[in-house]
Amino acid sequence: MSTGHERELQALAASGVDKRGGRSGSVLSGLFVPIIGGPMAVTAVEEMRVRLGRVGAVLMTPIAPADEWRRAARRVEEAGYGSIWTNEAIGGREVFTQLGVMLAATERIVLGSAVANLWARHPATTQGAATVLADAYPGRLAVGVGVSVPERVEQSGMKWTSPLNRTREYLDGMDAAVGAAPVPEIPFPRLLAALGPKMQGLARDHADGALPASMPAEHTRIARERLGPDRLLVVIQVALLMTDPEKARMAARQTQLLSLPGSPYLRALKQLGYTDEALAGGGSDEVLDACFMWGDEAAIGKRVQDHLDAGADHVAVAVLAPDLAGSADIFERLAPALL
């Protein structure tokens, strides 16, 4: 039986659009010639929108055995989500290895890095790792790249530099390494953890889209305007399945999203008009209510829809749980309201 995703892809194929997935290219005598490097062709972006669907899941935990990751990934896939995203820490779980474990354990779901820390590896290594996975699992990989925050970078022994310049140079380094890596049949989208206008401009001009996290729906609307219609916009939102406002806000503050030194989230929220007073102390109730989804299943489903209505192609939902099994429990509970 074909899924809705499969039917949409079959329709695209029937339209005669090239499916070999060059990032951009030209047509010579009816043959699409890929020009490797740079953003994907618009048709490839459209295909990835179909594969991702509306809603995905974020799995995050510091340390867990591989079998626990496999089981959780299978449960999320069986619940009907379109994607699974995971993060990494320098010196901790290496994100491409982690993605490989979950890709091998699942059948159709898209796996993505949210994000691959650009301080963790050489850009040629990132390009090589991504192309090997994209070649092995066609159409099932998305690569989110980000700069982290100054405190964590310097704790790892490296010197923090301009995030915009660093990211631009990193993308150039990935492009320069394309010739030495496999060319997958279907390209993987390259997304930037972009919150501000300059980084989102870079995401538009030198990547395939943006991957902002924990921002209000108004930020999603502005991001779509900056990116234009031909770039992917995947937003990450934390869902707290709690109906008590005080408990939900306490849990949101404990994430320390707005209290990390040098937090890019603070700058982005100021650009939306939030005051220093509202952002102090881990954020006012108004700020937390805008940045975190809380309530029952229906309330969280409405908040996800707000981001889709604002221009997001895909909303990746993160949940707070003590372990991966607990995360999978919550995703199964939320599925009827989100999918």
Side-chain angles (χ1 to χ4, degrees):
M1 180 180 295
S2 295
T3 65
H5 287 191
E6 289 169 343
R7 286 192 293 272
E8 289 188 54
L9 286 172
Q10 288 164 4
L12 282 171
S15 70
V17 174
D18 181 87
K19 293 291 159 258
R20 281 171 289 177
R23 287 190 170 272
S24 60
S26 60
V27 177
L28 298 175
S29 301
L31 175 66
F32 184 88
V33 181
I35 301 171
I36 304 301
M40 296 195 304
V42 173
T43 51
V45 171
E46 290 293 341
E47 285 189 7
M48 182 51 72
R49 285 179 174 139
V50 173
R51 290 190 181 91
L52 286 170
R54 289 165 30 96
V55 182
V58 180
L59 290 177
M60 296 185 293
T61 190
I63 299 174
D67 277 347
E68 291 185 18
W69 285 95
R70 294 186 186 104
R71 285 194 293 269
R74 285 193 288 265
R75 288 178 64 185
V76 169
E77 180 177 55
E78 289 166 2
Y81 291 87
S83 69
I84 297 172
W85 303 78
T86 193
N87 64 341
E88 70 174 343
I90 299 174
R93 289 182 293 107
E94 199 281 326
V95 72
F96 290 105
T97 308
Q98 194 71 59
L99 293 175
V101 170
M102 290 190 284
L103 282 163
T106 52
E107 296 181 0
R108 59 149 187 92
I109 198 165
V110 174
L111 272 292
S113 58
V115 293
N117 190 323
L118 57 74
W119 298 92
R121 64 189 66 77
H122 191 281
T125 304
T126 294
Q127 182 67 26
T131 55
V132 167
L133 289 178
D135 181 52
Y137 301 96
R140 295 184 58 204
L141 180 72
V143 176
V145 177
V147 293
S148 188
V149 295
E151 181 182 51
R152 291 178 179 173
V153 169
E154 292 178 356
Q155 283 175 349
S156 72
M158 289 177 280
K159 184 178 180 181
W160 177 261
T161 59
S162 164
L164 186 67
N165 290 339
R166 171 74 176 174
T167 303
R168 183 183 292 109
E169 292 169 357
Y170 199 86
L171 295 177
D172 289 344
M174 290 180 67
D175 288 341
V178 164
V183 179
E185 177 185 1
I186 299 174
F188 59 88
R190 189 171 62 180
L191 309 174
L192 299 187
L195 296 177
K198 292 181 180 179
M199 194 67 82
Q200 288 176 355
L202 191 65
R204 178 192 63 231
D205 297 337
H206 295 280
D208 301 307
L211 183 67
S214 300
M215 287 284 108
E218 175 63 10
H219 183 273
T220 299
R221 184 190 65 77
I222 294 170
R224 172 51 70 197
E225 291 178 354
R226 290 171 179 161
L227 291 172
D230 297 332
R231 292 289 177 265
L232 288 168
L233 178 55
V234 176
V235 300
I236 297 175
Q237 289 288 298
V238 177
L240 304 168
L241 199 52
M242 303 175 178
T243 56
D244 184 312
E246 296 307 314
K247 290 182 179 179
R249 291 164 183 156
M250 182 181 300
R253 287 192 177 93
Q254 289 174 348
T255 66
Q256 299 185 330
L257 179 77
L258 303 178
S259 57
L260 284 173
S263 170
Y265 301 100
L266 292 174
R267 292 194 299 274
L269 289 168
K270 286 180 182 179
Q271 290 169 352
L272 289 178
Y274 290 96
T275 65
D276 289 336
E277 181 180 5
L279 297 172
S284 67
D285 289 352
E286 178 190 6
V287 170
L288 294 174
D289 290 350
C291 293
F292 292 83
M293 307 186 299
W294 61 266
D296 61 14
E297 293 90 337
I300 291 171
K302 182 181 182 304
R303 293 289 299 276
V304 167
Q305 188 62 49
D306 288 344
H307 285 273
L308 294 169
D309 291 343
D313 292 305
H314 185 74
V315 178
V317 177
V319 299
L320 303 183
D323 52 33
L324 288 166
S327 295
D329 289 341
I330 296 173
F331 284 124
E332 289 172 345
R333 182 175 167 185
L334 285 172
L338 300 186
L339 304 176

